[in-house]
Amino acid sequence: MMDRIRLAIWTFILLLFSVTIWGDEIYFRSLGVKDGLSQPSSIAIWQDRLGRIWLGNNAVNCYDGISTKVIRLSEYFPSLEDANIHNFCGNDSTLYLLAENNIICIDLQMRQPFMPEITATAICYSDDQLYAVEGHSLYRCNVRSGEKEILFSDERYVFTLITPIGDNQFWIGTTTGVLRVDLTEKRIITTCFQEENITTQFLDSESHLWLSAKSGLAAVVSLNGEAVVFNDPGGSSILYPLLY
């Protein structure tokens, strides 16, 4: 498994090298205000299963490959004036996002936003359920009732990110490392990078967790209990043991 991860890393490096040499043969398209975005930058991006790109900044921007539609939440919720939009997730019919720490639901047919009065630090959608983390806990959210049910808590950690793995398991990014949590057994399976404040995490199609930390660390973690750090000062990939 780790050989495959190393191969992926070296493939990525070779691709970057190829871009350097043959960059004039690769087509890139940028999106900006001229394409209808509400701002020239974004702090969140997500692609739904229909291929649309959702970008968050001071508004919700939806790019369908041809044009951009902008939803300004302040038109529906005055208290969210200039609120930063981040952390998209959802399904074919409903988009969920965070405006600051407020969960917002948007019916994709009607383009009608709804705020269920639930706060969170991060959200994800898995198995037809909306999950959230805030403080020391992981929740399942009921947007219709405006309630959230605690599924797992640990006072030792401050939860800041959440990524579903499958089989009722999640990667939880915290201010002191990343956790693999099993909700069926109500326990932490794996912890790693316990001295790192995790700022970004992403699960690829082979269930590798790619993450970065406030310190500048970047790494990829596999489900079999190994990690590779690929931005160490020596410039080489190193194995990083996980803690259990």
Side-chain angles (χ1 to χ4, degrees), residues 3 5 18 32 35 38-39 63 66 70 74 81 93 121 137 150 159 166 172 174 176-177 187 192 212 225-226 236 241:
D3 288 338
I5 295 176
S18 299
D35 301 290
S38 60
Q39 284 187 350
Y63 178 69
I66 300 174
V70 176
S74 58
E81 182 74 33
S93 61
T121 304
S137 301
I150 296 180
F159 297 174
I172 306 296
T174 79
T176 50
R187 69 183 183 93
C192 58
S212 63
E226 290 185 315
S236 60

Side-chain angles (χ1 to χ4, degrees), residues 1 4-5 8 171 202-210 220-223:
M1 177 65 74
R4 295 176 65 185
I5 295 176
W171 284 111
F202 168 76
L203 196 71
D204 68 20
S205 59
E206 295 188 353
S207 297
H208 301 140
L209 183 74
W210 298 76
V220 56
V221 183
S222 66
L223 289 178

Side-chain angles (χ1 to χ4, degrees), residues 104-119:
I104 305 295
C105 313
I106 300 179
D107 185 310
L108 296 181
Q109 299 296 323
M110 304 296 295
R111 297 294 176 97
Q112 180 68 38
F114 166 68
M115 185 163 61
E117 302 296 334
I118 302 176
T119 60

Side-chain angles (χ1 to χ4, degrees), residues 126-190:
S126 179
D127 296 326
D128 298 323
Q129 300 286 340
L130 181 66
Y131 296 89
V133 292
E134 186 176 44
H136 309 287
S137 301
L138 185 159
Y139 302 88
R140 179 167 51 222
C141 302
N142 186 328
V143 296
R144 293 185 179 180
S145 66
E147 299 176 345
K148 53 186 182 182
E149 172 191 0
I150 296 180
L151 301 179
F152 180 81
S153 289
D154 193 318
E155 294 291 329
R156 297 173 296 174
Y157 301 97
V158 177
F159 297 174
T160 56
L161 299 167
I162 179 170
T163 302
I165 302 172
D167 297 325
N168 216 23
Q169 294 184 12
F170 295 82
W171 284 111
I172 306 296
T174 79
T175 56
T176 50
V178 63
L179 318 174
R180 181 181 170 191
V181 173
D182 189 312
L183 292 184
T184 301
E185 299 181 5
K186 303 291 185 182
R187 69 183 183 93
I188 297 173
I189 299 176
T190 304

